[in-house]
Amino acid sequence: KNQVEQSPQSLIILEGKNCTLQCNYTVSPFSNLRWYKQDTGRGPVSLTIMTFSENTKSNGRYTATLDADTKQSSLHITASQLSDSASYICVVSFLGGGFKTIFGAGTRLFVKA
Amino acid sequence: ETGVTQTPRHLVMGMTNKKSLKCEQHLGHNAMYWYKQSAKKPLELMFVYNFKEQTENNSVPSRFSPECPNSSHLFLHLHTLQPEDSALYLCASSQDWQRNTGELFFGEGSRLTVL
């Protein structure tokens, strides 16, 4: 069964600290993996996208990694800011005729001053 | 501004009402999507339209009726909804439904409350 699991469900960190969010998937055949950021009451916005051959991708203070062998991805946030408080959603696309995607439930990050 | 606009942003309706959600994209994309987002649950794909043709209907109850008059506009008509249908409804678009590297561009969502 195609699944995407994220951990932790929620996380509280102090401003300026680093954190890492995890995503494990069982999707096959794999096409690509994206991380989205969703602010409260807003739509998700893409942060990074990685295909099978890519194992790291950065977007400012956000760095995503991908291990296609173990089917794991992580999103590392460096020097967190209050504006990083949001839900982070892992989305895996797979080949199956058309645009097939599986969404994770997200990790809710709270950054406190 | 993602180029995908949803209206209304908030909607409260009774179970016997009929209302519609509207989505418009200004990105020149060919595929449009409706997703349902409930608290602490993954986004659920409801409908997909590619070049105005419906390509996916994920076993959505008939009280939700989509309409796609052209590649830039997508509607979700609502009638005789249930309280458990209360959720954030997100519209998204992508360049092409067939290309799995296509990024999804989401609207801000319509927060629906069914009383």
Side-chain angles (χ1 to χ4, degrees), chain A residues 32 34 38 41-42 46 99, chain B residues 9 37 97 100 102-103 108:
Chain A
N32 60 68
R34 302 182 193 83
Q38 184 176 21
R42 310 289 292 271
S46 178
F99 195 77
Chain B
R9 292 292 311 279
Q37 187 175 35
W97 174 67
N100 281 303
E103 178 181 355
E108 302 286 38

Side-chain angles (χ1 to χ4, degrees), chain A residues 9 31-32 34 36 38 41-46 49 51 89 93-101 103-105, chain B residues 2 9 33 35 37 40-43 45 56 88 90 94 96-109:
Chain A
Q9 188 175 56
S31 177
N32 60 68
R34 302 182 193 83
Y36 282 85
Q38 184 176 21
R42 310 289 292 271
V45 177
S46 178
I49 178 172
T51 59
I89 303 172
S93 296
F94 62 99
L95 303 173
F99 195 77
K100 302 291 186 182
T101 60
F103 284 75
Chain B
T2 63
R9 292 292 311 279
Y33 311 75
Y35 285 90
Q37 187 175 35
K40 298 183 179 180
K41 293 176 66 176
L43 270 71
L45 179 64
E56 283 200 36
L88 181 67
L90 289 162
S94 70
D96 189 325
W97 174 67
Q98 291 291 341
R99 294 175 59 191
N100 281 303
T101 57
E103 178 181 355
L104 287 170
F105 291 80
F106 286 90
E108 302 286 38

Side-chain angles (χ1 to χ4, degrees), chain B residues 76-113:
Chain B
L76 188 61
H77 304 300
L78 317 169
H79 60 99
T80 60
L81 294 191
Q82 305 297 313
E84 58 265 29
D85 296 323
S86 298
L88 181 67
Y89 288 86
L90 289 162
C91 173
S93 71
S94 70
Q95 181 61 47
D96 189 325
W97 174 67
Q98 291 291 341
R99 294 175 59 191
N100 281 303
T101 57
E103 178 181 355
L104 287 170
F105 291 80
F106 286 90
E108 302 286 38
S110 294
R111 171 68 63 185
L112 173 65
T113 302

Side-chain angles (χ1 to χ4, degrees), chain B residues 26-89:
Chain B
H26 307 276
L27 301 169
H29 289 166
N30 298 310
M32 296 188 75
Y33 311 75
W34 278 118
Y35 285 90
K36 176 184 179 182
Q37 187 175 35
S38 302
K40 298 183 179 180
K41 293 176 66 176
L43 270 71
E44 302 172 48
L45 179 64
M46 300 176 71
F47 302 103
V48 181
Y49 279 82
N50 197 46
F51 291 95
K52 302 189 303 178
E53 300 296 322
Q54 187 178 122
T55 56
E56 283 200 36
N57 176 340
N58 266 9
S59 302
V60 180
S62 59
R63 57 186 184 270
F64 295 92
S65 175
E67 178 189 0
C68 188
N70 54 61
S71 293
S72 299
H73 293 85
L74 185 64
F75 296 88
L76 188 61
H77 304 300
L78 317 169
H79 60 99
T80 60
L81 294 191
Q82 305 297 313
E84 58 265 29
D85 296 323
S86 298
L88 181 67
Y89 288 86

Side-chain angles (χ1 to χ4, degrees), chain A residues 8-111:
Chain A
Q9 188 175 56
S10 62
L11 181 63
I12 302 173
I13 62 173
L14 292 176
E15 185 180 16
K17 297 297 185 181
N18 303 335
C19 67
T20 300
L21 315 179
Q22 300 291 341
C23 174
N24 296 336
Y25 62 93
T26 57
V27 176
S28 180
F30 175 86
S31 177
N32 60 68
L33 183 148
R34 302 182 193 83
W35 283 92
Y36 282 85
K37 177 186 179 187
Q38 184 176 21
D39 293 314
T40 301
R42 310 289 292 271
V45 177
S46 178
L47 290 175
T48 63
I49 178 172
M50 289 179 291
T51 59
F52 184 87
S53 60
E54 298 173 296
N55 55 25
T56 186
K57 185 72 70 76
S58 291
N59 178 358
R61 294 180 297 101
Y62 301 101
T63 299
T65 64
L66 173 65
D67 187 332
D69 292 330
T70 61
K71 297 186 177 180
Q72 296 179 325
S73 176
S74 65
L75 181 68
H76 186 74
I77 304 175
T78 304
S80 61
Q81 300 176 359
L82 298 178
S83 59
D84 292 330
S85 295
S87 288
Y88 292 85
I89 303 172
C90 176
V91 183
V92 182
S93 296
F94 62 99
L95 303 173
F99 195 77
K100 302 291 186 182
T101 60
I102 305 291
F103 284 75
T107 291
R108 189 74 176 92
L109 175 65
F110 300 89
V111 180

